[in-house]
Short mmCIF file of all heavy atoms in Angstrom, two decimals:
data_model
loop_
_atom_site.label_atom_id
_atom_site.label_comp_id
_atom_site.label_asym_id
_atom_site.label_seq_id
_atom_site.Cartn_x
_atom_site.Cartn_y
_atom_site.Cartn_z
N GLY A 958 -83.83 -94.71 -18.29
CA GLY A 958 -83.33 -95.97 -17.75
C GLY A 958 -81.94 -96.28 -18.24
O GLY A 958 -81.33 -95.53 -19.01
N MET A 959 -81.40 -97.42 -17.79
CA MET A 959 -80.10 -97.89 -18.24
C MET A 959 -80.20 -98.37 -19.70
O MET A 959 -81.28 -98.77 -20.15
CB MET A 959 -79.61 -99.03 -17.35
CG MET A 959 -79.39 -98.62 -15.90
SD MET A 959 -78.97 -100.04 -14.84
CE MET A 959 -77.35 -100.48 -15.48
N VAL A 960 -79.08 -98.33 -20.41
CA VAL A 960 -79.06 -98.76 -21.81
C VAL A 960 -77.90 -99.72 -22.04
O VAL A 960 -76.92 -99.73 -21.29
CB VAL A 960 -78.95 -97.55 -22.77
CG1 VAL A 960 -80.20 -96.69 -22.70
CG2 VAL A 960 -77.71 -96.72 -22.48
N GLU A 961 -78.00 -100.49 -23.11
CA GLU A 961 -76.97 -101.49 -23.46
C GLU A 961 -75.96 -100.91 -24.45
O GLU A 961 -75.70 -101.48 -25.49
CB GLU A 961 -77.65 -102.73 -24.03
CG GLU A 961 -78.59 -103.42 -23.05
CD GLU A 961 -79.36 -104.57 -23.67
OE1 GLU A 961 -80.01 -104.34 -24.71
OE2 GLU A 961 -79.33 -105.67 -23.11
N ALA A 962 -75.37 -99.79 -24.09
CA ALA A 962 -74.47 -99.08 -25.00
C ALA A 962 -73.27 -99.93 -25.38
O ALA A 962 -72.94 -100.09 -26.57
CB ALA A 962 -74.01 -97.77 -24.36
N ASP A 963 -72.58 -100.47 -24.40
CA ASP A 963 -71.37 -101.24 -24.68
C ASP A 963 -71.70 -102.63 -25.20
O ASP A 963 -71.01 -103.16 -26.07
CB ASP A 963 -70.50 -101.33 -23.43
CG ASP A 963 -69.90 -99.99 -23.05
OD1 ASP A 963 -69.61 -99.19 -23.96
OD2 ASP A 963 -69.73 -99.72 -21.84
N HIS A 964 -72.74 -103.25 -24.66
CA HIS A 964 -73.09 -104.61 -25.07
C HIS A 964 -73.46 -104.66 -26.55
O HIS A 964 -73.08 -105.60 -27.26
CB HIS A 964 -74.26 -105.11 -24.23
CG HIS A 964 -74.61 -106.54 -24.47
ND1 HIS A 964 -73.82 -107.59 -24.04
CD2 HIS A 964 -75.67 -107.12 -25.10
CE1 HIS A 964 -74.36 -108.73 -24.40
NE2 HIS A 964 -75.49 -108.48 -25.04
N LEU A 965 -74.20 -103.66 -27.03
CA LEU A 965 -74.63 -103.66 -28.43
C LEU A 965 -73.63 -103.00 -29.37
O LEU A 965 -73.45 -103.46 -30.50
CB LEU A 965 -75.98 -102.96 -28.56
CG LEU A 965 -77.19 -103.66 -27.96
CD1 LEU A 965 -78.45 -102.83 -28.18
CD2 LEU A 965 -77.38 -105.05 -28.55
N PHE A 966 -72.99 -101.92 -28.94
CA PHE A 966 -72.18 -101.12 -29.85
C PHE A 966 -70.70 -101.07 -29.47
O PHE A 966 -69.84 -101.21 -30.33
CB PHE A 966 -72.74 -99.69 -29.93
CG PHE A 966 -74.15 -99.63 -30.40
CD1 PHE A 966 -75.20 -99.58 -29.50
CD2 PHE A 966 -74.45 -99.66 -31.76
CE1 PHE A 966 -76.52 -99.55 -29.93
CE2 PHE A 966 -75.75 -99.64 -32.20
CZ PHE A 966 -76.80 -99.58 -31.29
N GLY A 967 -70.41 -100.87 -28.19
CA GLY A 967 -69.02 -100.75 -27.78
C GLY A 967 -68.20 -101.98 -28.11
O GLY A 967 -67.04 -101.87 -28.55
N ASN A 968 -68.78 -103.15 -27.92
CA ASN A 968 -68.04 -104.39 -28.20
C ASN A 968 -67.73 -104.55 -29.68
O ASN A 968 -66.73 -105.19 -30.04
CB ASN A 968 -68.86 -105.60 -27.73
CG ASN A 968 -68.97 -105.65 -26.22
OD1 ASN A 968 -68.05 -105.30 -25.51
ND2 ASN A 968 -70.12 -106.09 -25.72
N LEU A 969 -68.57 -104.00 -30.54
CA LEU A 969 -68.34 -104.12 -31.98
C LEU A 969 -67.15 -103.29 -32.45
O LEU A 969 -66.39 -103.71 -33.33
CB LEU A 969 -69.59 -103.69 -32.76
CG LEU A 969 -70.76 -104.66 -32.79
CD1 LEU A 969 -71.91 -104.06 -33.60
CD2 LEU A 969 -70.35 -106.00 -33.39
N ILE A 970 -67.00 -102.11 -31.88
CA ILE A 970 -65.96 -101.20 -32.37
C ILE A 970 -64.67 -101.30 -31.55
O ILE A 970 -63.64 -100.75 -31.95
CB ILE A 970 -66.46 -99.74 -32.38
CG1 ILE A 970 -66.84 -99.28 -30.97
CG2 ILE A 970 -67.64 -99.60 -33.33
CD1 ILE A 970 -67.33 -97.84 -30.90
N GLU A 971 -64.73 -102.00 -30.44
CA GLU A 971 -63.55 -102.11 -29.58
C GLU A 971 -62.39 -102.77 -30.33
O GLU A 971 -62.54 -103.81 -30.97
CB GLU A 971 -63.88 -102.95 -28.35
CG GLU A 971 -62.74 -103.04 -27.34
CD GLU A 971 -63.13 -103.82 -26.10
OE1 GLU A 971 -64.23 -104.41 -26.09
OE2 GLU A 971 -62.32 -103.85 -25.16
N GLY A 972 -61.23 -102.14 -30.28
CA GLY A 972 -60.03 -102.68 -30.91
C GLY A 972 -59.89 -102.37 -32.39
O GLY A 972 -58.86 -102.70 -32.99
N ALA A 973 -60.91 -101.76 -33.00
CA ALA A 973 -60.84 -101.43 -34.43
C ALA A 973 -60.12 -100.10 -34.64
O ALA A 973 -60.02 -99.28 -33.73
CB ALA A 973 -62.25 -101.34 -35.01
N GLU A 974 -59.59 -99.92 -35.83
CA GLU A 974 -58.94 -98.66 -36.17
C GLU A 974 -59.93 -97.50 -35.98
O GLU A 974 -61.11 -97.63 -36.33
CB GLU A 974 -58.46 -98.67 -37.62
CG GLU A 974 -57.30 -99.63 -37.88
CD GLU A 974 -56.04 -99.19 -37.17
OE1 GLU A 974 -55.83 -97.95 -37.02
OE2 GLU A 974 -55.26 -100.06 -36.74
N PRO A 975 -59.49 -96.37 -35.42
CA PRO A 975 -60.39 -95.25 -35.15
C PRO A 975 -61.13 -94.73 -36.38
O PRO A 975 -62.21 -94.14 -36.25
CB PRO A 975 -59.45 -94.18 -34.59
CG PRO A 975 -58.30 -94.94 -34.02
CD PRO A 975 -58.13 -96.12 -34.93
N SER A 976 -60.57 -94.95 -37.56
CA SER A 976 -61.21 -94.45 -38.78
C SER A 976 -62.36 -95.35 -39.24
O SER A 976 -63.15 -94.95 -40.10
CB SER A 976 -60.18 -94.34 -39.90
OG SER A 976 -59.60 -95.60 -40.18
N LEU A 977 -62.46 -96.55 -38.67
CA LEU A 977 -63.51 -97.49 -39.08
C LEU A 977 -64.81 -97.23 -38.33
O LEU A 977 -64.80 -96.75 -37.20
CB LEU A 977 -63.05 -98.93 -38.83
CG LEU A 977 -61.87 -99.43 -39.66
CD1 LEU A 977 -61.49 -100.85 -39.22
CD2 LEU A 977 -62.19 -99.42 -41.14
N TYR A 978 -65.90 -97.54 -38.97
CA TYR A 978 -67.24 -97.54 -38.38
C TYR A 978 -67.64 -96.17 -37.80
O TYR A 978 -68.04 -96.07 -36.63
CB TYR A 978 -67.35 -98.61 -37.29
CG TYR A 978 -66.68 -99.91 -37.64
CD1 TYR A 978 -65.78 -100.51 -36.76
CD2 TYR A 978 -66.94 -100.56 -38.85
CE1 TYR A 978 -65.16 -101.71 -37.06
CE2 TYR A 978 -66.33 -101.76 -39.17
CZ TYR A 978 -65.43 -102.33 -38.28
OH TYR A 978 -64.81 -103.51 -38.59
N PRO A 979 -67.56 -95.11 -38.59
CA PRO A 979 -67.87 -93.77 -38.04
C PRO A 979 -69.31 -93.62 -37.54
O PRO A 979 -69.54 -92.95 -36.54
CB PRO A 979 -67.59 -92.83 -39.22
CG PRO A 979 -67.69 -93.71 -40.44
CD PRO A 979 -67.16 -95.04 -40.01
N THR A 980 -70.27 -94.25 -38.22
CA THR A 980 -71.66 -94.11 -37.79
C THR A 980 -71.91 -94.89 -36.50
O THR A 980 -72.60 -94.40 -35.59
CB THR A 980 -72.63 -94.58 -38.88
OG1 THR A 980 -72.19 -94.11 -40.16
CG2 THR A 980 -74.04 -94.06 -38.61
N LEU A 981 -71.34 -96.08 -36.40
CA LEU A 981 -71.46 -96.85 -35.16
C LEU A 981 -70.82 -96.09 -33.99
O LEU A 981 -71.36 -96.09 -32.87
CB LEU A 981 -70.79 -98.21 -35.30
CG LEU A 981 -71.50 -99.28 -36.13
CD1 LEU A 981 -70.68 -100.55 -36.15
CD2 LEU A 981 -72.89 -99.57 -35.58
N ARG A 982 -69.69 -95.44 -34.26
CA ARG A 982 -69.02 -94.68 -33.21
C ARG A 982 -69.88 -93.50 -32.77
O ARG A 982 -69.93 -93.16 -31.58
CB ARG A 982 -67.65 -94.21 -33.68
CG ARG A 982 -66.65 -95.34 -33.87
CD ARG A 982 -65.29 -94.85 -34.31
NE ARG A 982 -64.41 -95.97 -34.61
CZ ARG A 982 -63.73 -96.67 -33.71
NH1 ARG A 982 -63.83 -96.33 -32.44
NH2 ARG A 982 -62.96 -97.68 -34.06
N MET A 983 -70.55 -92.86 -33.71
CA MET A 983 -71.42 -91.74 -33.37
C MET A 983 -72.58 -92.21 -32.49
O MET A 983 -72.93 -91.56 -31.50
CB MET A 983 -71.97 -91.09 -34.65
CG MET A 983 -72.90 -89.92 -34.42
SD MET A 983 -73.27 -89.01 -35.95
CE MET A 983 -73.93 -90.32 -36.98
N ILE A 984 -73.16 -93.36 -32.84
CA ILE A 984 -74.26 -93.92 -32.04
C ILE A 984 -73.77 -94.28 -30.64
O ILE A 984 -74.42 -93.97 -29.63
CB ILE A 984 -74.86 -95.14 -32.74
CG1 ILE A 984 -75.61 -94.71 -34.00
CG2 ILE A 984 -75.79 -95.91 -31.80
CD1 ILE A 984 -76.00 -95.86 -34.90
N HIS A 985 -72.60 -94.91 -30.56
CA HIS A 985 -72.05 -95.29 -29.27
C HIS A 985 -71.74 -94.06 -28.42
O HIS A 985 -72.05 -94.02 -27.21
CB HIS A 985 -70.77 -96.12 -29.47
CG HIS A 985 -70.20 -96.66 -28.20
ND1 HIS A 985 -68.93 -96.34 -27.76
CD2 HIS A 985 -70.72 -97.50 -27.26
CE1 HIS A 985 -68.70 -96.96 -26.62
NE2 HIS A 985 -69.76 -97.67 -26.29
N THR A 986 -71.19 -93.03 -29.04
CA THR A 986 -70.90 -91.78 -28.32
C THR A 986 -72.19 -91.15 -27.81
O THR A 986 -72.26 -90.67 -26.67
CB THR A 986 -70.15 -90.80 -29.23
OG1 THR A 986 -68.93 -91.39 -29.66
CG2 THR A 986 -69.86 -89.50 -28.50
N ASN A 987 -73.22 -91.15 -28.63
CA ASN A 987 -74.52 -90.63 -28.22
C ASN A 987 -75.01 -91.32 -26.96
O ASN A 987 -75.48 -90.68 -26.00
CB ASN A 987 -75.52 -90.82 -29.37
CG ASN A 987 -76.95 -90.50 -28.97
OD1 ASN A 987 -77.25 -89.42 -28.47
ND2 ASN A 987 -77.85 -91.44 -29.21
N LEU A 988 -74.88 -92.65 -26.92
CA LEU A 988 -75.36 -93.42 -25.77
C LEU A 988 -74.48 -93.20 -24.54
O LEU A 988 -74.99 -93.15 -23.41
CB LEU A 988 -75.42 -94.90 -26.13
CG LEU A 988 -76.44 -95.27 -27.21
CD1 LEU A 988 -76.27 -96.73 -27.63
CD2 LEU A 988 -77.86 -95.03 -26.71
N LYS A 989 -73.17 -93.09 -24.74
CA LYS A 989 -72.28 -92.87 -23.60
C LYS A 989 -72.51 -91.49 -22.99
O LYS A 989 -72.44 -91.33 -21.75
CB LYS A 989 -70.82 -93.05 -24.01
CG LYS A 989 -70.47 -94.44 -24.52
CD LYS A 989 -70.80 -95.52 -23.51
CE LYS A 989 -69.84 -95.57 -22.35
NZ LYS A 989 -70.11 -96.73 -21.45
N ILE A 990 -72.76 -90.49 -23.82
CA ILE A 990 -73.09 -89.15 -23.29
C ILE A 990 -74.39 -89.22 -22.51
O ILE A 990 -74.52 -88.64 -21.42
CB ILE A 990 -73.18 -88.12 -24.44
CG1 ILE A 990 -71.78 -87.88 -25.03
CG2 ILE A 990 -73.80 -86.81 -23.95
CD1 ILE A 990 -71.78 -87.03 -26.28
N TYR A 991 -75.37 -89.94 -23.05
CA TYR A 991 -76.64 -90.13 -22.33
C TYR A 991 -76.39 -90.77 -20.96
O TYR A 991 -76.95 -90.34 -19.95
CB TYR A 991 -77.58 -91.00 -23.16
CG TYR A 991 -78.71 -91.60 -22.34
CD1 TYR A 991 -79.85 -90.85 -22.03
CD2 TYR A 991 -78.61 -92.91 -21.85
CE1 TYR A 991 -80.86 -91.40 -21.26
CE2 TYR A 991 -79.63 -93.45 -21.07
CZ TYR A 991 -80.74 -92.70 -20.79
OH TYR A 991 -81.74 -93.23 -20.01
N GLU A 992 -75.54 -91.80 -20.93
CA GLU A 992 -75.25 -92.47 -19.66
C GLU A 992 -74.61 -91.52 -18.65
O GLU A 992 -74.97 -91.54 -17.46
CB GLU A 992 -74.31 -93.67 -19.89
CG GLU A 992 -74.99 -94.86 -20.56
CD GLU A 992 -74.06 -96.04 -20.73
OE1 GLU A 992 -72.82 -95.83 -20.79
OE2 GLU A 992 -74.56 -97.18 -20.81
N ARG A 993 -73.69 -90.68 -19.11
CA ARG A 993 -73.04 -89.74 -18.20
C ARG A 993 -74.02 -88.71 -17.67
O ARG A 993 -74.03 -88.38 -16.48
CB ARG A 993 -71.85 -89.06 -18.88
CG ARG A 993 -70.67 -89.98 -19.12
CD ARG A 993 -69.39 -89.21 -19.36
NE ARG A 993 -69.46 -88.41 -20.56
CZ ARG A 993 -69.13 -88.86 -21.78
NH1 ARG A 993 -68.75 -90.12 -21.94
NH2 ARG A 993 -69.19 -88.07 -22.82
N LEU A 994 -74.87 -88.20 -18.57
CA LEU A 994 -75.87 -87.22 -18.13
C LEU A 994 -76.87 -87.86 -17.17
O LEU A 994 -77.30 -87.23 -16.20
CB LEU A 994 -76.61 -86.66 -19.35
CG LEU A 994 -75.78 -85.76 -20.28
CD1 LEU A 994 -76.58 -85.40 -21.52
CD2 LEU A 994 -75.34 -84.49 -19.54
N ARG A 995 -77.22 -89.10 -17.45
CA ARG A 995 -78.19 -89.79 -16.60
C ARG A 995 -77.65 -89.99 -15.19
O ARG A 995 -78.37 -89.88 -14.19
CB ARG A 995 -78.55 -91.16 -17.21
CG ARG A 995 -79.47 -92.01 -16.36
CD ARG A 995 -79.75 -93.34 -17.04
NE ARG A 995 -80.55 -94.20 -16.16
CZ ARG A 995 -80.03 -95.02 -15.25
NH1 ARG A 995 -78.72 -95.10 -15.10
NH2 ARG A 995 -80.83 -95.76 -14.48
#
């Protein structure tokens, strides 16, 4: 099904320095890849 990738995670990391929040970024990337495959 659809997931709340950006609502839960993307909004948190948006605009932050790329070096910040590496684990959150990994989770968000995991969900975005899932969305593309879906």
